Amino acid sequence: MSVFVGRDPSINTPDAAPYGERAIFVDENTCIGCYNCSHCAERTFFMEEEHGRARVYQQWADSEEDIDIAIESCPVDCIHYVSAAVLPVLEYVMKTAR
């Protein structure tokens, strides 16, 4: 499961959720293990060794610009911004689908 180490930079209001509304999620079933994301935003993404797929391990550890570059560089579009509220469910599904 990923941890929030930074705050969603698009949220600038004091009454926002503690870490913002967005989170970053990798659909590991679609990932082809190209390493692009982990090279662009190395504090947010890593390549897990067992299956050779990308995974988010620290939410907002890199700048939004670096994360956007990582998302745009994905050749199979497997990285998405998702609601922070549904992130735990998505990560659980990925964990059980391995």
Side-chain angles (χ1 to χ4, degrees), residues 21 82-89:
E21 299 296 326
V82 298
S83 164
V86 301
L87 179 66
V89 174

Side-chain angles (χ1 to χ4, degrees), residues 25-27 30-32 70-80:
F25 172 73
V26 176
D27 178 352
T30 306
C31 178
I32 60 171
I71 292 170
E72 292 168 9
S73 74
C74 179
V76 292
D77 295 323
C78 69
I79 308 168
H80 310 279

Side-chain angles (χ1 to χ4, degrees), residues 15-84:
D15 60 338
Y19 300 107
E21 299 296 326
R22 298 181 302 165
I24 304 113
F25 172 73
V26 176
D27 178 352
E28 294 180 36
N29 292 324
T30 306
C31 178
I32 60 171
C34 72
Y35 284 81
N36 288 352
C37 60
S38 63
H39 291 302
C40 294
E42 62 188 22
R43 292 177 302 202
T44 298
F45 300 95
F46 81 103
M47 299 301 292
E48 65 86 23
E49 294 182 16
E50 185 176 349
H51 301 288
R53 297 177 180 149
R55 186 174 296 157
V56 174
Y57 69 106
Q58 297 187 122
Q59 296 287 333
W60 303 110
D62 290 288
S63 69
E64 184 175 24
E65 179 181 3
D66 287 345
I67 293 168
D68 284 343
I69 291 169
I71 292 170
E72 292 168 9
S73 74
C74 179
V76 292
D77 295 323
C78 69
I79 308 168
H80 310 279
Y81 285 115
V82 298
S83 164

Side-chain angles (χ1 to χ4, degrees), residues 7 11-18 21:
R7 184 179 166 100
I11 306 299
N12 293 321
T13 60
D15 60 338
E21 299 296 326

